[in-house]
Amino acid sequence: MTPPQRQRRSPAPEPPSQPAQQGEGKVKNPERMYVVAGPDGERAELDLVTLIVARATDPPPSASPEQAALLRLCAAPLSVAELSAYLHLPFSAMGVLLTEMLTAELVQARAPIVRKARSDRSLLEAVMNGLQRL
């Protein structure tokens, strides 16, 4: 006895596509939903530890959902890495988003807080003396 053979299905025919028409038979190009860079194509100089602070408390009505969420998160300074993690966006997309918001003056970028390389000697001696007394 031979096993039944599987029959292949032919792919479903695609419906004929109707190009979007505008006016007298001109084909309309699809509208770009998002601009990746401005006219000069430059981005802000940001790295993962740059701190971002919101200048505006409420997002403008024209803000995208990502921009509104970013403004809510940046009430207190957060690094670009933290914002990227909270919004589940890669660093490259976060750079584009922050460049737009910096240009619109919705947020402010600050340098990270740098601690002194060396501690104060008198503080270390006081700690050492306190530990020796224990």
Side-chain angles (χ1 to χ4, degrees):
M1 184 166 165
T2 60
Q5 297 291 321
R6 294 181 79 186
Q7 294 182 1
R8 290 187 175 243
R9 292 187 224 165
S10 61
E14 293 183 15
S17 61
Q18 300 272 339
Q21 303 257 338
Q22 177 184 6
E24 298 94 26
K26 294 181 183 177
V27 176
K28 180 182 175 186
N29 289 334
E31 184 177 341
R32 292 190 312 178
M33 300 304 285
Y34 198 81
V35 178
V36 175
D40 54 0
E42 292 187 20
R43 285 201 221 171
E45 293 292 324
L46 299 170
D47 56 356
L48 292 173
V49 293
T50 302
L51 297 176
I52 305 296
V53 183
R55 286 187 172 184
T57 56
D58 294 328
S62 62
S64 68
E66 291 84 8
Q67 290 175 338
L70 197 138
L71 284 174
R72 282 191 300 273
L73 285 171
C74 289
L78 286 176
S79 70
V80 176
E82 290 172 314
L83 291 171
S84 179
Y86 288 142
L87 295 176
H88 305 289
L89 291 173
F91 176 71
S92 57
M94 186 58 64
V96 172
L97 183 65
L98 287 172
T99 299
E100 283 183 0
M101 294 183 75
L102 286 167
T103 305
E105 296 182 354
L106 295 173
V107 295
Q108 179 181 5
R110 295 183 183 171
I113 300 169
V114 180
R115 300 184 192 270
K116 287 184 177 180
R118 297 183 132 200
S119 300
D120 185 22
R121 183 178 176 97
S122 61
L123 175 66
L124 291 176
E125 287 176 355
V127 170
M128 184 177 71
N129 290 336
L131 290 174
Q132 288 175 346
R133 287 186 201 141
L134 293 174

